[in-house]
Amino acid sequence: FVNMSSDPEQDYFSDGLTEEILNSLAMLPELQVTARTSSFHFKGQNIPVPEIAKKLGVAHVVEGSVRRGGDTLRITAQLILASDGSHLWSNTYDRSVKDVLDVQRDVAESIAQALDVVLDAKRSQEMFASGTRNVEAFEAYHKGLAYSTSVHSLISDKNLWDANIYFAQAIAADPKFAAPHQDIQDAYEHYLMEGANSQFLKKGEPEDLNAAEALRQLRFHQNKAIELANTRESKLSAEIAKAFESDDWQDMPRMLKMVRQNPSIFNTVTSSVWWIDILHALGEGELIVPQLQEEIVHSPYSRLSWYYLISHHLGKGNFEEAKKIIEQSKQYSLFKDIPTIELYILSGDQIKLKEIYDQMGQAGDYTPATLLAALGKKEETLLKISQEVQKKERTKDLTWAYYLIGAQDKANAIITEIDKRPLGALMFAQILLTPGKIHASKESAPNFVRKLRQAGIAEDKINAMFLPSNTETNP
């Protein structure tokens, strides 16, 4: 839905309406709905509907506009048959802002009915169960979501604390609205993992915030997300996220059993953003492969879905499959060189790595430390690591680079430090996704190992998570 208002800041409002309608339609199993990441890819582009539909592999497209002036709205919406551009349904709404949620409901239900989906009162209620009926909460939440999205895309001078101001406003306006309790956790998680200097936080934390208070806030919102969950799937997702970020995993075997029995948990709108990492860390990564494969078919511009699927195969050593998926993703121009570099490092293809290195301009500013290390360029690797430490770059790349140049003691030291953090397991989860191993001895992470044992992970599987020591000068 295009923002036709004179104020470009109202983008969050039209985007919010778009997303809520999308989420409502996605609750209907009869419809395969392209995810936000792909549908929003075409925002602001003057591309014919049939071309968009072809790129997304869909039969129908919904488009519209929102014009807001003070407290009044004009919303247009139409459902278009992509094959010939004909309108199957359209309407114009002249309403007040306080009626926007009624318009959202009417649009979603009208589209569903136009596509021959039978709705009774129960199904209609389920379509909108995850949202809010409070307009003030709707506005605040989607403003926070707009901030959060721009921060994660690294295209904003804002930070996640700015987004949390609006999530808090949404919670105050509607204390029973689950979504802001889920999204507000992200800032506290990055603070506890990476510290105040995280690129997503930029030292913008609330006054007097410390690790203990951040952990308290995180637990509060985790409990609220569980309490307010309106489906069995969203509740289980919130419970697993909370358990994984706790110091006690004794209840994890029960939760994992429920996940294996109910893989639809991953389709819920309020799933934890870390669930893919978490399942890999618990040895259940295979559970998510079917969904990721389906996601890249129905939402081909979903960068994270492609990356997670590639990473899964890299971590498992399925290099030919990973290479095939990387080639498939190139038509969408989602990545630069990172997945390819990881593929060639893990598969040991020095010739291809050297070609990439030469293309990057002989260790230019964007050359990853892992690439330098894999090529045996020890001094250049150490210089690059020092630069990345100053910029607070990803820790997994630092430990991997240290390991590759044979600096095992330095890799062990980083892993030990991570293991002491309140959310250290979450950082290990990211490492275990790609490259699939922790570049240190098992003894370097006693807390993580203890929790894995509590979760019922077999000792041989735990051992397989850690790489054997590498103290060679030239790997």
Side-chain angles (χ1 to χ4, degrees):
F1 282 64
V2 179
N3 171 29
M4 300 292 288
S5 308
S6 57
D7 181 6
E9 287 292 313
Q10 289 298 316
D11 270 6
Y12 80 89
F13 192 86
S14 56
D15 287 352
L17 182 64
T18 305
E19 184 152 7
E20 291 297 334
I21 292 172
L22 184 155
N23 289 341
S24 299
L25 293 171
M27 296 296 290
L28 299 171
E30 295 93 334
L31 303 180
Q32 292 285 356
V33 183
T34 295
R36 180 190 196 279
T37 47
S38 286
S39 59
F40 275 57
H41 174 80
F42 297 96
K43 179 180 174 181
Q45 300 185 47
N46 187 22
I47 300 176
V49 166
E51 186 177 339
I52 292 175
K54 183 178 180 180
K55 288 179 179 291
L56 295 179
V58 298
H60 304 85
V61 171
V62 180
E63 67 173 7
S65 64
V66 181
R67 186 182 300 276
R68 179 176 183 176
D71 290 331
T72 62
L73 290 172
R74 165 163 283 198
I75 297 173
T76 67
Q78 47 267 340
L79 173 67
I80 301 169
L81 180 63
S83 59
D84 62 10
S86 61
H87 286 199
L88 299 181
W89 169 87
S90 64
N91 205 351
T92 298
Y93 304 85
D94 290 304
R95 303 285 181 87
S96 69
V97 171
K98 64 182 177 61
D99 296 324
V100 66
L101 301 178
D102 293 326
V103 174
Q104 168 208 325
R105 177 182 289 267
D106 187 81
V107 170
E109 289 181 341
S110 296
I111 291 168
Q113 290 165 358
L115 294 173
D116 297 325
V117 176
V118 178
L119 295 177
D120 55 21
K122 181 176 182 293
R123 297 197 75 199
S124 180
Q125 181 179 1
E126 289 172 349
M127 286 175 68
F128 307 98
S130 63
T132 178
R133 298 298 300 160
N134 183 293
V135 175
E136 184 181 347
F138 170 90
E139 287 201 73
Y141 174 68
H142 283 288
K143 198 160 190 176
L145 205 58
Y147 275 35
S148 177
T149 301
S150 66
V151 170
H152 282 102
S153 301
L154 302 178
I155 59 173
S156 174
D157 60 351
K158 304 295 183 183
N159 59 61
L160 291 180
W161 300 119
D162 296 323
N164 275 12
I165 293 172
Y166 293 102
F167 292 142
Q169 289 178 7
I171 291 168
D174 182 358
K176 294 186 178 181
F177 187 13
H181 282 290
Q182 188 74 51
D183 288 286
I184 204 171
Q185 297 173 34
D186 196 29
Y188 297 110
E189 288 166 331
H190 281 288
Y191 181 86
L192 290 166
M193 283 195 298
E194 302 153 359
N197 288 324
S198 167
Q199 62 182 334
F200 302 119
L201 303 178
K202 302 174 183 176
K203 286 191 172 181
E205 70 272 13
E207 189 175 351
D208 298 328
L209 183 72
N210 53 40
E213 177 60 16
L215 193 59
R216 190 190 72 80
Q217 289 286 348
L218 177 62
R219 297 285 181 257
F220 171 80
H221 291 293
Q222 286 175 330
N223 290 333
K224 280 294 183 182
I226 294 169
E227 174 191 334
L228 298 172
N230 43 50
T231 67
R232 179 170 175 263
E233 291 81 10
S234 59
K235 182 175 182 179
L236 179 57
S237 171
E239 286 178 336
I240 289 175
K242 178 190 174 185
F244 192 84
E245 294 177 5
S246 75
D247 198 45
D248 186 346
W249 288 9
Q250 295 192 65
D251 200 32
M252 197 66 80
R254 176 189 67 84
M255 294 183 186
L256 286 175
K257 182 179 180 180
M258 293 175 67
V259 170
R260 297 185 196 105
Q261 296 171 344
N262 187 26
S264 63
I265 175 180
F266 309 126
N267 295 318
T268 177
V269 171
T270 55
S271 286
S272 165
V273 297
W274 304 103
W275 59 264
I276 295 179
D277 308 85
I278 289 171
L279 285 180
H280 270 89
L282 294 170
E284 299 290 343
E286 295 294 340
L287 286 175
I288 63 171
V289 172
Q291 184 191 335
L292 291 173
Q293 291 171 329
E294 183 176 331
E295 180 78 6
I296 64 175
V297 171
H298 296 293
S299 185
Y301 288 90
S302 177
R303 183 180 181 275
L304 280 179
S305 295
W306 283 99
Y307 185 71
Y308 278 130
L309 188 58
I310 293 166
S311 297
H312 170 80
H313 287 295
L314 287 177
K316 292 292 184 180
N318 304 329
F319 300 133
E320 287 304 315
E321 184 65 21
K323 185 176 181 179
K324 183 177 74 173
I325 299 170
I326 290 171
E327 289 302 313
Q328 291 173 346
S329 73
K330 287 182 179 179
Q331 62 184 302
Y332 304 105
S333 303
L334 301 173
F335 307 109
K336 290 186 178 179
D337 300 296
I338 295 300
T340 305
I341 291 172
E342 292 176 343
L343 166 65
Y344 292 140
I345 292 175
L346 290 169
S347 62
D349 194 328
Q350 292 283 304
I351 295 175
K352 292 291 186 182
L353 288 173
K354 182 65 166 55
E355 289 177 3
I356 294 175
Y357 173 76
D358 291 339
Q359 291 169 5
M360 284 185 161
Q362 300 292 324
D365 290 341
Y366 299 103
T367 307
T370 47
L371 173 57
L372 297 170
L375 290 171
K377 299 179 180 297
K378 186 170 183 178
E379 294 305 317
E380 293 173 45
T381 300
L382 292 173
L383 176 60
K384 188 65 178 179
I385 287 175
S386 67
Q387 294 170 347
E388 293 183 357
V389 167
Q390 292 174 7
K391 292 188 295 183
K392 302 294 179 182
E393 294 293 342
R394 296 183 301 172
T395 304
K396 77 166 189 178
D397 291 340
L398 303 186
T399 56
W400 194 359
Y402 275 136
Y403 180 85
L404 288 171
I405 63 172
Q408 185 69 65
D409 56 337
K410 293 185 181 296
N412 287 352
I414 291 177
I415 295 301
T416 298
E417 193 276 326
I418 291 174
D419 191 56
K420 295 176 181 178
R421 299 181 192 179
L423 301 191
L426 202 52
M427 298 193 74
F428 289 141
Q430 294 177 295
I431 295 173
L432 285 166
L433 182 64
T434 306
K437 305 282 186 181
I438 296 174
H439 309 91
S441 64
K442 187 171 69 172
E443 291 70 30
S444 299
N447 291 324
F448 184 52
V449 170
R450 169 181 56 81
K451 289 187 279 191
L452 288 170
R453 288 169 176 159
Q454 286 179 334
I457 309 300
E459 202 68 25
D460 60 333
K461 290 186 176 180
I462 296 175
N463 291 335
M465 293 181 183
F466 295 85
L467 283 171
S469 178
N470 176 26
T471 56
E472 297 294 327
T473 303
N474 295 306

